[in-house]
Amino acid sequence: TYREYSLINFANLSQKELYVRLTDKASGQAISTFSLGRMLTVHPPTYGVDSQNRMHVLHMVAPKAYAHVVVDVDGQLLSRELYYEKEADRPNLVTISDGTLGVYGGMTAEEHDTPYEEREFRKLSELPPGMPMLAVP
């Protein structure tokens, strides 16, 4: 049978939420409807279906924060990962030539939570082979 994914914006008084609905195409009956969470409309959500018929959605959940959500054909939430803007580099949902979808750009939640010093600086012991160590007077 054919199934159809739908994204639904729901706005209440305090915030907007993004929902996904999975519908049986022949009968029109909803199989599953659930919230993907809060949504900011500064950047509209991007979405696509990969080669395994899973829906990928990338939407803004907070200033400079984005959620990448994957839903399968049974209406089950497979994964939810957070990404953050890195200066002017914003996460984007991209399709690779083999039909897979992924997030390109920005930084992962793990990178975001790692202190700047650990991300940007290396230890002196990590010098490439052959590099001279400078003597400190």
Side-chain angles (χ1 to χ4, degrees):
T1 63
Y2 290 99
R3 295 184 175 183
E4 179 178 71
Y5 292 108
S6 303
L7 284 178
I8 302 166
N9 295 327
F10 176 75
N12 60 26
L13 296 175
S14 61
Q15 66 184 14
K16 292 186 179 187
E17 287 191 50
L18 186 63
Y19 284 79
V20 66
R21 175 182 287 159
L22 185 64
T23 308
D24 182 276
K25 188 76 169 156
S27 68
Q29 182 177 358
I31 297 168
S32 177
T33 303
F34 57 91
S35 174
L36 298 180
R38 180 179 176 198
M39 178 184 74
L40 298 182
T41 56
V42 175
H43 299 288
T46 56
Y47 53 89
V49 177
D50 67 15
S51 59
Q52 297 177 339
N53 292 326
R54 298 177 302 190
M55 182 179 201
H56 293 249
V57 180
L58 182 69
H59 67 285
M60 190 174 205
V61 294
K64 299 185 178 190
Y66 299 79
H68 173 226
V69 181
V70 182
V71 180
D72 71 2
V73 294
D74 295 321
Q76 299 297 314
L77 183 67
L78 296 179
S79 67
R80 185 175 196 271
E81 297 177 275
L82 288 176
Y83 290 86
Y84 294 88
E85 292 178 7
K86 185 176 182 178
E87 298 168 10
D89 186 20
R90 194 164 46 100
N92 292 298
L93 190 64
V94 296
T95 305
I96 302 171
S97 61
D98 64 356
T100 59
L101 276 87
V103 177
Y104 178 78
M107 66 177 131
T108 64
E110 183 180 328
E111 291 172 318
H112 181 264
D113 295 339
T114 304
Y116 175 80
E117 292 79 13
E118 290 180 27
R119 278 185 287 145
E120 301 296 327
F121 297 106
R122 302 273 183 198
K123 295 179 182 175
L124 192 56
S125 61
E126 296 179 35
L127 279 175
M131 288 289 292
M133 289 187 95
L134 299 176
V136 179

